[in-house]
Structure formats: structure tokens, C-alpha cells
Amino acid sequence: MSWQPVPEPACSEKPAVAPPDQIADHAVEQVIVPRVRDLGGFEVRRALPAARRQMVGPFIFFDQMGPSPLIDGQSLEVRPHPHIGLATVTYLFSGAIMHRDSLGTVQEIAPGAVNLMTAGSGIAHSERTSQAHNLPGAEIFGIQTWLALPREHEETAPAFVHHGAEALPTIAGEGLDGRVIIGSLYGRKAPVETLSPTAYADIAMARGARLPLPDGIEECGLYVVSGAIALDGQRFGDGTLVVIRPGARGAATALDPSRVMVLGGDAMDGHRHIWWNFVSSSKERIEDAKADWKAGRFDPVIGDDEFIPLPER
């Protein structure tokens, strides 16, 4: 997805902690409440980057897309645009998107599948619901994230990897039903390879179910897609990113039937600069990418002749 000119969301203060006899551990480090914005009829909630936190592990961009109804099969029509220095992960709950890129990839993204596009030294792609197989009355609903790449891999060759829902390991039992999308969580390992240690999962929780806080993840967050969870004696509703204190123990409890994304990984090796769709540890590299896109030096997206012009600022 192309970076849109949405103001970065404000990050709330750490919530008041419940009395010590109500909790076993203080697990919450930070709470981020995204601002909801309408991008020409398409609603997003952007949790990262936030005003006081750029990343959780390698996750530098975290958008909840929709749920938005498809009108005449259209809702998300993102023309070809460029990326450098990152990897995109598209994961849908409903609806379908047709992905095309400058490598020649043509891949319909369906619910439950994982699609990792590594931009590295540079790639262009488009995302269109109108070209995918969406039935009348369908809606588009999902999460798109960007993973910052380690400095040593920022200029790696671009690549695209797709794994269907059937290839992702499942988590089931005790009121939990989910998939590990990337990395290893709760004894399950996904087939997706990343350039830095990364963990990502989609978990449905029945009312009263407990989700243990993951072990061995340097930076970790829980994003509540729907429902509500309790942690540290506090209630966190849908559209909330709860950043977990490193080394914290305990579990989140579903107060209602809920859907939670677990995300995180090793802390990134320093701050990243973000301009439009470009991420880099170097401001000069971003300036080069801007000039390359403006001059038409990125490889074109095969089968999609439109493009998004370089913003003036």
C-alpha cells in the first residue's frame, strides 16, 4: 500500500496500573491508539509509526484496512508506486486484492494467506480489488505492515513470496484459534523467511480465553482487531496496540470474543527515515530514490500502466 498523507497517530500515556493485588505483573509498556482516517472512501487505522514510537521490532508501519464495502468490486485501487529499504506484509481477513509488481509477479491475495514483498534496493507494485475475484457484497478487511530491513540488507535484491492459508501453522485449543504468519510462536513455526528475527500471528480468542505473552521476543505488541482484552487489570478495546514490556510474563484475557494480532521481533539497528513509500537509515538514499521514481528509473509494474506521481512534498 502506498504511504498516504495521514497525520501520525498520537500515542496515549501508559494507563494507570491496577492495584498490586489485582495483577501478577506489570506487562504494559505503552498504549497506542490509532487515528481513523478516510482515504477517499477507504478507512484505515494507522498504529505505527506513532508520535512517540516508530517501531515494534522491525514493524515500522501497521495499518488496519477497513472493514470497507466494495462498491462495484472496487475499494482499494492503489496505482503502481515504489518502495525501498523495507518489506511489505499483506494479510487479509476478508476480500481479495490483486498484486502486481515490477518483478512480473501477478498474485491474488486471499484471506489467511501471507504475502511478503521485499523491496530492498527498489521495487514498484500495485494493489487493486477491481482485478481480484470479489463477490457482490464483499468487503475488504485486513492488515498491511512494513518491516524495516537491517542496514546490511537495505539494498538486498527485491523479491516476492506467497504462502496460502493452508501452509501456515495453526494454533488451537483452550479458546484460541489462529495462525502463525511469520516466525515462531507458541511452539509453531511459519514457512516465511525474513531478514531479521520477526514474529507475527493472527489469533481468535473466545470469551474468557487466555493468551500467554510470548517468550523470547525482544519487542512485542498485541493489536486488538476486534473485541476487547484485559491486561494489567486494564481493558483494551478494538483498534488498540498494546506494547509489552520486555521480559514481561502473564497473559491477556479476552473479555469478549476477540481477534488479536501478535507482532514483534528483535529491535531494529537504529532509527529509520520515512518519506512517502521509502524507508532507509540514510536520508541521502531516500533522495536518490525520489529522483529515480521521478525520472522513471524504477522498473515498471508488468500489466499496470498507471502510476502515482512523486508527491511534491
Side-chain angles (χ1 to χ4, degrees):
M1 180 182 295
S2 177
W3 177 273
Q4 302 290 339
V6 180
E8 291 186 356
C11 179
S12 72
E13 297 293 336
K14 183 176 178 179
V17 177
D21 61 348
Q22 294 184 19
I23 57 175
D25 195 7
H26 301 322
V28 176
E29 179 179 274
Q30 195 174 30
V31 180
I32 299 172
V33 180
R35 292 180 181 175
V36 179
R37 286 294 181 269
D38 187 314
L39 304 180
F42 187 76
E43 184 179 277
V44 300
R45 291 180 175 184
R46 179 161 296 155
L48 293 173
R52 293 195 292 278
R53 189 174 193 113
Q54 187 181 53
M55 289 179 271
V56 176
F59 289 84
I60 194 169
F61 176 100
F62 191 101
D63 259 12
Q64 176 182 321
M65 307 181 293
S68 294
L70 297 178
I71 308 301
D72 296 328
Q74 300 184 37
S75 179
L76 181 71
E77 296 296 310
V78 183
R79 293 170 291 160
H81 58 279
H83 291 288
I84 65 164
L86 57 87
T88 67
V89 184
T90 304
Y91 184 82
L92 299 176
F93 307 129
S94 63
I97 297 171
M98 184 63 73
H99 165 97
R100 296 177 184 269
D101 63 38
S102 51
L103 300 175
T105 308
V106 179
Q107 176 65 59
E108 181 167 296
I109 300 174
V114 59
N115 301 270
L116 178 76
M117 184 187 75
T118 302
S121 60
I123 198 170
H125 75 135
S126 65
E127 299 155 295
R128 296 183 183 271
T129 53
S130 61
Q131 297 179 3
H133 295 90
N134 284 298
L135 298 175
E139 66 177 16
I140 193 74
F141 185 22
I143 304 289
Q144 186 165 73
T145 66
W146 294 354
L147 307 177
L149 301 181
R151 283 194 178 96
E152 62 180 320
H153 294 300
E154 284 185 306
E155 296 300 319
T156 194
F160 181 86
V161 176
H162 168 86
H163 292 279
E166 71 284 351
L168 302 184
T170 58
I171 298 169
E174 300 185 0
L176 303 178
D177 181 12
R179 291 186 180 95
V180 179
I181 303 167
I182 296 174
S184 298
L185 279 166
Y186 307 115
R188 302 284 190 169
K189 186 178 188 304
V192 183
E193 298 294 331
T194 56
L195 293 172
S196 65
T198 305
Y200 193 32
D202 166 26
I203 302 181
M205 304 174 65
R207 187 193 305 271
R210 290 170 56 81
L211 179 66
L213 301 180
D215 290 329
I217 300 177
E218 188 174 356
E219 295 185 352
C220 180
L222 305 178
Y223 180 79
V224 184
V225 178
S226 61
I229 62 172
L231 188 64
D232 274 7
Q234 304 297 304
R235 180 187 187 277
F236 302 104
D238 63 285
T240 304
L241 174 59
V242 183
V243 181
I244 306 303
R245 180 176 59 79
R249 302 288 183 177
T253 302
L255 301 177
D256 299 305
S258 302
R259 186 169 208 157
V260 175
M261 308 300 288
V262 181
L263 63 142
D266 283 2
M268 192 47 56
D269 53 359
H271 180 82
R272 291 296 187 270
H273 303 285
I274 305 174
W275 192 91
W276 193 36
N277 303 309
F278 305 136
V279 171
S280 180
S281 58
S282 164
K283 288 184 177 180
E284 292 75 16
R285 179 66 182 92
I286 288 180
E287 291 302 314
D288 290 343
K290 290 163 63 175
D292 287 344
W293 182 249
K294 188 172 184 178
R297 288 190 287 265
F298 275 78
D299 291 338
V301 174
I302 309 301
D304 197 332
D305 296 331
E306 294 187 285
F307 69 95
I308 299 176
L310 186 78
E312 293 186 6
R313 62 180 182 179

